[in-house]
Amino acid sequence: MTEVSATTQDRATPHMTVSKTNVAIEVIGMHKWYADFHVLRDINLKVMEGERIVIAGPSGSGKSTLIRCINRLEEHQEGQIIVNGTELTADIKRIDEVRREVGMVFQHFNLFPHLTILQNLTLAPIWVRGIPKAEAEATAMHYLERVKIPEQANKFPGQLSGGQQQRVAIARSLCMQPKIMLFDEPTSALDPEMVKEVLEVMISLAEDGMTMICVTHEMGFARQVANRVIFMDQGQIIEQNEPEAFFSNPQHERTKLFLSQILH
Amino acid sequence: MSDIGFVRADLVPAKPAPNRTSGAMAWAQKNLFATPVDTILTLLGLLFLTWIVPPLFNFFIGHAVGPNGTVEECRAIDAGACWAYIYSEMEFFIYGFYDIPQQWRPNIVFALGAMLFVPLLIPKAPFKRVNAILFLVVYPVVSYFLLAGGVFGLTEIPTEKWGGLLVTLIISVVGITLSFPLGIILALGRQSNLPVIKTLCIAFIELIRAVPLITILFMASIMLPLFMPQGTTVDKFLRALVGVTLFTSAYMAEVVRGGLQAIPRGQYEAGASLGLGYWQRMYFIILPQALKHVIPGIVNNFISLFKDTSLVYIVGMKDLLEAVKTKNDSALEWQSANTATTGYLFAAMVFWVFCFSMSRYSMYMERRLNTGYKR
């Protein structure tokens, strides 16, 4: 568990405000099966704009599947998922509409290895948003500076370290100027020395009021940035609470067991 | 036990690698005479070369009859290859029965083709887009009217008269440029989520792949007219073109599919999560990576297509090989013990030069495109 410096924490809190009225994501009675296997069961979740949610749970509990349903990388079979007011159905137009506004960062970065960093960042803004190339490049450089690696713009992903690649992946999503960011175990594939640099970028995003859902095992990050922690097991939401209460006073037996396993 | 403890005082700086021994002697010792078995194999190899090289040299060069030789020289007992025959028949090998006074037309087509195609192959040459449009759209139209004639006061020359290298090149170039995109479409179709498209693509690929090219050409020339209404015909040359293209596209599809399967699912997902549509994902992300993986397989198909063009004799076209085999009047005048052999050798050399060039170019391309994975 990487602890992030106290100074960042002091800076972090005051700006992070949660909207009382605007719903970013609403999941209602959602079920999902992989063939006969019931992976997600009766998921109900309402995320307001500006919320920072951390989803924790043992492997195979369905946390990744849940956030992958939110931008329809996975299909749900029952219930409703409404993102930015658009309900996800089989309609490709709606799916693309949602994906344009929802950024996603993957465990294994998934940068495009045949394109330079700058091309990775400008591809979608140019072809999905129709932004002129020069403008897209300027935006890309802005976000590369924000993740502190503008000097890598003309390199290929394979030439960067894992932490740098993940920061590029975050910048790539930001270039689409999304309303919501999904993080699928963004630090799990990184060397221990590189976890912090990625977490710092995520914290600074939270400070700016980005609506975020992070699947992560970084409990320090959850404590510091999240306004809500969700614990999942066997495809269900077992418990959710504010981080302070969640960590100090877990209610469900499964949650207690999980926390005792990971907080040594 | 205090001797377990260790703290490095100074970091060790990198130093250059030790010198390697070089020079011809060192090389020979290492590669030819390293062990007694190596020495014996080297000597055996030398023996084999002294046995095989002189007769080959004599046939090809030493006793061969040069371009200005005569039939009589070719018929001499110890004569080698009869290059004079090739030289005198060259026009027939290149143009077939194409009318001799009109041969400037194929010449223009050849020259235009070279002018447009060579810059396409050179990565640094400018105006790629314009160049590609000229080569892929304008050039085929211009070439067709130049070769076939019948317009702008050009004499009409039916495709039956086209032949030799001209036919071999037209079928190869058209076959390659059409079967490649068609193969990509088929490969994508085979991976499609839409059941109708998927089934159609699988059916097409499996049907065509399971049938020999000869059969397809044979069907095209014998069976097709039976299904057509009375009086309508499809040009024989066109049938051969379509047959070769469809045949190769089925193989190409499977090669491309191999490349598609090598792309991790995360690449598709990253593209999708950025809001890129299906075709954008394929064009910008998946295909550039997938095709790079399968360049050797793609070029394999191109080479095999180039050689398979010699099968169009089935529909009665005279490609290069068929032109060499044809015993027309002037070929009969050159009758000698080695004439036929020389003809086949010539055809083989032409095929080899083209196929080898493709192979070398693909290796160059592979090296060039490797940049993306540089570490």
Side-chain angles (χ1 to χ4, degrees), chain B residues 36-70:
Chain B
V37 178
D38 282 6
T39 313
I40 292 169
L41 288 176
T42 303
L43 292 178
L44 280 177
L46 284 174
L47 216 61
F48 178 75
L49 285 178
T50 52
W51 175 67
I52 193 83
V53 169
L56 278 180
F57 176 81
N58 282 339
F59 183 83
F60 278 95
I61 299 162
H63 296 171
V65 179
N68 300 317
T70 61

Side-chain angles (χ1 to χ4, degrees), chain A residues 68 71 73-74 96 99-100 102 104 106 110-115 123-124 127-128 156 158-159 172-173 176, chain B residues 265-277 280-281 284-286 288-289 292 371-375:
Chain A
R68 288 159 59 85
N71 67 351
L73 288 183
E74 304 280 355
D96 283 342
R99 283 174 178 168
R100 277 198 291 273
V102 179
M104 185 166 211
F106 300 85
N110 295 348
L111 296 177
F112 308 130
H114 62 300
L115 300 178
L123 183 66
W127 293 98
V128 178
F156 286 96
Q159 295 168 290
R172 178 174 70 178
S173 289
M176 284 294 285
Chain B
R265 205 171 139 206
Q267 293 288 308
Y268 293 84
E269 290 177 351
S273 74
L274 286 168
L276 291 161
Q280 289 174 330
R281 263 174 350 234
F284 292 114
I285 300 167
I286 306 301
Q289 298 183 63
K292 192 162 78 178
T371 50
Y373 293 94
K374 202 159 49 187
R375 281 232 157 234

Side-chain angles (χ1 to χ4, degrees), chain A residues 117-118 121 125 131 135-150 167-178 181 201 204-205 208 210:
Chain A
I117 300 305
L118 198 59
L121 267 61
I131 291 169
E135 195 183 315
E137 283 180 352
T139 313
M141 286 314 292
H142 167 76
Y143 283 113
L144 277 182
E145 266 158 40
R146 172 143 187 200
V147 300
K148 302 195 184 73
I149 34 175
R167 284 187 278 156
V168 170
I170 295 174
R172 178 174 70 178
S173 289
L174 293 179
C175 281
M176 284 294 285
Q177 301 183 322
M181 286 285 285
V201 170
S204 91
L205 261 182
D208 285 4
M210 175 68 78

Side-chain angles (χ1 to χ4, degrees), chain B residues 322-337:
Chain B
E322 194 61 14
V324 168
K325 274 157 61 181
T326 302
K327 298 279 176 283
N328 58 1
D329 293 349
S330 54
L332 288 174
E333 283 170 24
W334 281 94
Q335 196 84 299
S336 79

Side-chain angles (χ1 to χ4, degrees), chain A residues 11-264:
Chain A
R11 228 167 1 103
T13 11
H15 304 280
M16 303 192 287
T17 48
V18 175
S19 167
K20 295 248 178 341
T21 48
N22 298 345
V23 181
I25 303 166
E26 190 162 17
V27 182
I28 305 162
M30 190 261 277
H31 292 257
K32 173 170 177 60
W33 287 262
Y34 282 130
D36 287 334
F37 179 57
H38 200 170
V39 266
L40 290 178
R41 308 178 194 175
D42 190 32
I43 304 288
N44 288 287
L45 178 66
K46 195 174 191 180
V47 181
M48 307 305 285
E49 278 180 16
E51 275 205 274
R52 292 115 12 228
I53 292 178
V54 162
I55 304 181
S59 66
S61 58
K63 4 182 239 309
S64 289
T65 312
L66 172 56
I67 67 164
R68 288 159 59 85
C69 282
I70 291 171
N71 67 351
R72 193 101 173 166
L73 288 183
E74 304 280 355
E75 209 174 292
H76 61 282
Q77 280 86 28
E78 242 177 60
Q80 281 180 300
I81 301 177
I82 302 157
V83 183
N84 292 322
T86 309
E87 184 181 351
L88 282 167
T89 61
D91 185 356
I92 303 235
K93 261 190 201 157
R94 289 191 185 190
I95 295 173
D96 283 342
E97 209 172 286
V98 167
R99 283 174 178 168
R100 277 198 291 273
E101 307 301 336
V102 179
M104 185 166 211
V105 176
F106 300 85
Q107 181 177 2
H108 295 287
F109 331 134
N110 295 348
L111 296 177
F112 308 130
H114 62 300
L115 300 178
T116 63
I117 300 305
L118 198 59
Q119 288 168 332
N120 264 279
L121 267 61
T122 53
L123 183 66
I126 291 175
W127 293 98
V128 178
R129 292 247 191 257
I131 291 169
K133 193 174 173 219
E135 195 183 315
E137 283 180 352
T139 313
M141 286 314 292
H142 167 76
Y143 283 113
L144 277 182
E145 266 158 40
R146 172 143 187 200
V147 300
K148 302 195 184 73
I149 34 175
E151 71 282 359
Q152 312 286 2
N154 294 312
K155 289 194 183 162
F156 286 96
Q159 295 168 290
L160 270 55
S161 74
Q164 290 173 325
Q165 290 195 44
Q166 192 61 297
R167 284 187 278 156
V168 170
I170 295 174
R172 178 174 70 178
S173 289
L174 293 179
C175 281
M176 284 294 285
Q177 301 183 322
K179 297 199 176 92
I180 301 167
M181 286 285 285
L182 307 172
F183 293 84
D184 188 2
E185 304 204 22
T187 54
S188 306
L190 294 177
D191 288 342
E193 281 183 307
M194 294 164 180
V195 171
K196 194 178 161 198
E197 62 190 46
V198 171
L199 288 182
E200 276 173 358
V201 170
M202 290 167 64
I203 290 166
S204 91
L205 261 182
E207 281 174 36
D208 285 4
M210 175 68 78
T211 311
M212 295 163 69
I213 301 185
C214 313
V215 172
T216 183
H217 299 296
E218 296 295 337
M219 290 304 131
F221 172 80
R223 241 185 243 275
Q224 179 183 337
V225 174
N227 66 314
R228 189 157 31 132
V229 179
I230 292 176
F231 176 71
M232 287 182 73
D233 189 29
Q234 293 175 26
Q236 304 159 57
I237 296 179
I238 301 288
E239 187 166 348
Q240 56 171 316
N241 212 332
E242 288 178 351
E244 196 46 50
F246 179 84
F247 288 111
S248 60
N249 188 19
Q251 299 298 310
H252 198 281
E253 282 309 313
R254 188 65 189 89
T255 320
K256 289 178 188 166
L257 179 65
F258 178 78
L259 288 175
S260 74
Q261 296 289 344
I262 62 161
L263 303 172
H264 354 263

